[in-house]
Amino acid sequence: MAIIQFPKDMKWGTATASYQIEGATNEGGRGVSIWDTFSKTPGNVVNGDNGDVACDSYHRYEEDVELMKDLGIDVYRFSVAWPRIFPNGTGEVNQEGLDYYHRLVDKLLENGIEPMCTLYHWDLPQALQDKGGWANRETIDAFVDYAELMFKEFSGKINKWLTLNEPWCISFLSNYIGVHAPGNQDLQLATQISHHLLVTHGKTVQKFRELGVGGEIGFAPNTTWLEPYSNRQEDIDACNREIGWYIEWFMDPVFKGSYPDFMVEWFKKKGVELDIQDGDMETINQPVDFLGINYYTGHIARYKENEGLLDWEMVEMNYDRTDIGWPIFPEGFYNVLMRVKDSYGDIPIYITENGSCYNDEPENGSVKDSGRINYLQQHLTALSRAIASGVNVKGYITWSLMDNFEWAEGYTMRFGIVHVNYRTLERTKKDSFYWYKQTIANNWFEN
């Protein structure tokens, strides 16, 4: 048995997102989001589920903050529903929406929990999607206006901001693969959207600096890792492109001011060209205060010619998988963090999401989710390895505080350390809640 110890100033937290937990989609003046539209279109979400009620956190946020207080976290990462603030994306401000987030943030602060606010976790106002959404550069300006209002409104209360959650998902998963809202399947469109998202990020950081509000700002890309099956160059290159699609494509422009050549060439081969306007790259290349990293899974892969963008196939190694089917690959987490450090230096890093899907149900008032505890142990050990190797990790925020609406999977996949009964909305702390609570209290665990 080994003791895995964390630095004294390590920040511990949990994360959620607005559409996944709030419910109350037709209350408090909230406008329609693309996820309302997408989830109510038959065939898009398992069982036809939607976020109308979700975990009902809009009404039960005090109960949820009590859970966080009991857990002992330092930081709670949540997202704001843009259509709660601007029901039409622009124009009239909805005071009821602002009031809700003030109540939530005040309750967090009263309980000694630092709010980390994600400005965009996928619920684009439908009114903006109707005008082209992220493909229309007017959405960039609308977002900056929304962000400016939030910065001013919560100055002195919220000191950690994230512009965008998982820009790869917003662009490619949602507009090329098409399994998330708005559900397009167009590589050129998705790639152009990825650029517009980065411009949005850069302009938002500029606005944050210009306003001079206190605190720090960053963004939260999702990452993955493919380990080459062999040392053949074609295997190495194919895996590098997949990793680069998540990491370098979104991080190089922010930290280096240019897109990675190996990915630009690959997109060109696939007939994709970016429309980059004068000043875009300088706008994107704004210094950020910290970087969020989301990591869940990785695996072994080798080169295989495909029709689509990517040219690899997974090689089945019989790794354990979580209930959503993702291989458990903690070495990939370590490798991602080392790659980020080697590429971009000592930028402060918060792990803004890491967690696992296990669909264990309560029995006699408890939820025995040993799979999730094992996953946390493995990934926190990988994180400790990265810290020991010089990665500047400031905090770890697990996904998720509670089971919630898991996007296209509806309510069938559970990622929480708190179980939610979707009929009664009762919360039940899982065994992983108690394990994580102990780890936070000790700042170490035994492996």
Side-chain angles (χ1 to χ4, degrees), residues 62-81:
E62 290 177 293
E63 180 185 350
D64 295 337
V65 175
E66 279 300 316
L67 287 167
M68 297 177 219
K69 187 181 182 184
D70 182 28
L71 183 58
I73 57 172
D74 305 298
V75 180
Y76 175 51
R77 177 182 174 227
F78 68 98
S79 79
V80 171

